[in-house]
Amino acid sequence: MRFVRKSVQETPPYTPGEQPEGTEFVKLNTNENPYPPSPRVLEAVHDAAGASLRLYPNPTARELREKIGDVYGFDPAQVFVGNGMDEVLSLIVRTFVEVGEQAVIFYPSYTLDEILLRQHGAVPVIVELGKDFSVPLEAADADAKVLFLPNPNSPTGILEPQAKVRDLCERFRGLVVIDEAYVDFAEENCLELAAEMENVLVSRTFSKSSSLAGLRVGFAVGPEQLIAALNKTKDSYNVNRVSQAAALAALEDLPYAIENVARIKATRTRLVTQLERQGFDVLRSSANFVMARHPHLAASAIYKALKEQGILVRYFEMPRLDQYVRITIGTDEETDRLLGALAEIAAGGTGNPG
Ligand SMILES: *Cc1c(COP(=O)(O)O)cnc(C)c1O
């Protein structure tokens, strides 16, 4: 189509996990939180959904930025709020990478980063992760403008320790974007690096640990000048009133999210133990999902058989990932259903009568 930019024509769209209509599926495929948002969030949403909707929201989500600053130890001028972290990532590409310039991404990793770069007309430098899916420090030697580091990584769930990430940031001459979408489920984080270093942004989301995927709020923290640049490129009113109010309420009720995170981590431990007992090989996860492979059963077959039983997990038909299924940590009940179904599949039946 001659009206469409070449870089857009030539880039395949991002494929998100299936979002089936209705509730008949046990949904363990897109890393959503199995627990509802805090009652205080729902109250805030209700309160925000009134006559004031005729008014534009605060353009920079001022109150929310102040709260984020308080909670995580940053000045509000060091905080940028976006319409989901995906918007933050998109703005980072548009703000810091010229068309034709290089940016480092890892493989396997979050596939959106590559797509955003290609659509923009930037050149991804794809660095293969090690055999154990660890980040090779030599990636930092690339002549590139930005380096994207999801940590914990997706879809492996593996966390790189802060000390190693610091080495990477010191060695890389461009801007490092540390995507901490899953960090609330991990043992440590890299906020310190965003506070101390001039070339580090840390991005976060309310989608996973705060159960707000449907409202689309994410943020980035880091050096004030980088945040100011993002404020120039964003839409004037990029985050709506209801979402701003909800995210603020979520931070005002942090113990609620912390309790759910603890619950999910406990379920994760139990799931890993049980999967290993069933013979699966499971990558060590610091996120709200696990990657598991079976020595005899093809991952594609496991995915299909689970779907027939009404359980959705994620299967990536991609090199190095196609031996695994990625399973989001659900409730204990959902996890038991999954484990039961897997045991049946391994025993030879798909669980379907007849
Ligand atoms: C879920 C996810 C995001 C995006 O979060 P949203 O705020 O929902 O846009 C970003 N990065 C990774 C690695 C994710 O898994």
Side-chain angles (χ1 to χ4, degrees):
M1 193 6 171
R2 68 191 169 96
F3 297 118
V4 181
R5 285 179 60 209
K6 197 155 156 281
S7 62
V8 175
Q9 282 188 45
E10 290 174 353
T11 310
Y14 177 73
T15 11
E18 302 156 83
Q19 291 288 356
E21 297 294 324
T23 53
E24 69 274 29
F25 278 101
V26 173
K27 223 179 146 294
L28 305 177
N29 67 332
T30 51
N31 301 341
E32 287 140 335
N33 197 308
Y35 302 111
S38 151
R40 285 171 63 177
V41 169
L42 299 180
E43 210 176 297
V45 167
H46 187 82
D47 291 349
S52 65
L53 285 182
R54 71 190 181 80
L55 301 170
Y56 284 110
N58 182 279
T60 65
R62 186 185 51 79
E63 246 188 298
L64 176 55
R65 279 188 300 113
E66 286 171 2
K67 185 70 189 175
I68 291 169
D70 270 357
V71 170
Y72 297 106
F74 288 84
D75 188 274
Q78 295 180 293
V79 182
F80 176 81
V81 177
N83 184 27
M85 194 213 293
D86 286 349
E87 190 206 20
V88 178
L89 295 171
S90 171
L91 286 169
I92 284 171
V93 169
R94 281 164 45 195
T95 308
F96 302 114
V97 189
E98 303 276 5
V99 171
E101 276 185 332
Q102 304 200 106
V104 176
I105 53 171
F106 293 100
Y107 184 86
S109 191
Y110 188 39
T111 51
L112 180 69
D113 298 332
E114 177 175 358
I115 290 168
L116 291 174
L117 288 165
R118 287 197 190 279
Q119 284 182 351
H120 179 65
V123 182
V125 176
I126 302 171
V127 176
E128 179 93 16
L129 294 177
K131 253 202 159 100
D132 55 354
F133 294 110
S134 63
V135 167
L137 272 179
E138 301 73 51
D141 300 333
D143 177 23
K145 205 63 187 299
V146 173
L147 180 153
F148 288 95
L149 179 71
N151 196 40
N153 193 20
S154 173
T156 64
I158 293 169
L159 178 79
E160 292 290 354
Q162 198 213 74
K164 180 174 170 184
V165 179
R166 182 186 289 274
D167 288 347
L168 188 85
C169 295
E170 279 170 358
R171 190 159 153 181
F172 185 59
R173 293 186 37 221
L175 168 65
V176 179
V177 178
I178 307 171
D179 172 342
E180 292 195 333
Y182 298 104
V183 84
D184 291 327
F185 304 98
E187 300 72 40
E188 53 172 357
N189 67 67
C190 291
L191 283 179
E192 234 172 83
L193 306 184
E196 292 170 13
M197 304 179 73
E198 61 163 27
N199 67 328
V200 178
L201 285 172
V202 166
S203 57
R204 297 258 179 120
T205 175
F206 286 86
S207 295
K208 316 280 167 47
S209 54
S210 294
S211 310
L212 289 179
L215 275 181
R216 321 298 308 121
V217 191
F219 64 92
V221 293
E224 198 173 322
Q225 278 137 326
L226 300 182
I227 299 299
L230 290 170
N231 274 317
K232 276 171 85 171
T233 49
K234 75 175 183 66
D235 287 347
S236 308
Y237 306 107
N238 61 327
V239 183
N240 71 69
R241 268 178 179 274
V242 177
S243 297
Q244 289 188 28
L248 183 64
L251 287 179
E252 281 166 352
D253 194 9
L254 260 190
Y256 176 90
I258 290 169
E259 204 180 303
N260 282 340
V261 165
R263 219 175 272 161
I264 289 165
K265 284 165 78 173
T267 307
R268 181 178 72 198
T269 303
R270 195 167 70 84
L271 174 63
V272 171
T273 307
Q274 296 296 325
L275 285 173
E276 285 175 346
R277 227 169 256 174
Q278 291 193 17
F280 281 90
D281 168 27
V282 186
L283 298 183
R284 188 182 149 65
S285 171
S286 297
N288 66 339
F289 57 84
V290 296
M291 282 286 263
R293 69 174 165 186
H294 195 274
H296 312 304
L297 297 169
S300 57
I302 295 175
Y303 161 81
K304 257 197 229 145
L306 285 174
K307 192 170 179 179
E308 276 165 22
Q309 297 203 35
I311 301 171
L312 277 183
V313 298
R314 193 83 186 263
Y315 170 64
F316 298 93
E317 210 173 347
M318 296 160 71
R320 298 186 68 183
L321 299 178
D322 55 5
Q323 313 157 34
Y324 293 88
V325 286
R326 192 190 68 185
I327 306 167
T328 301
I329 311 299
T331 62
D332 279 312
E333 202 186 338
E334 290 171 327
T335 303
D336 287 338
R337 257 190 76 183
L338 168 86
L339 286 165
L342 285 173
E344 275 183 44
I345 292 163
T350 62
N352 276 342

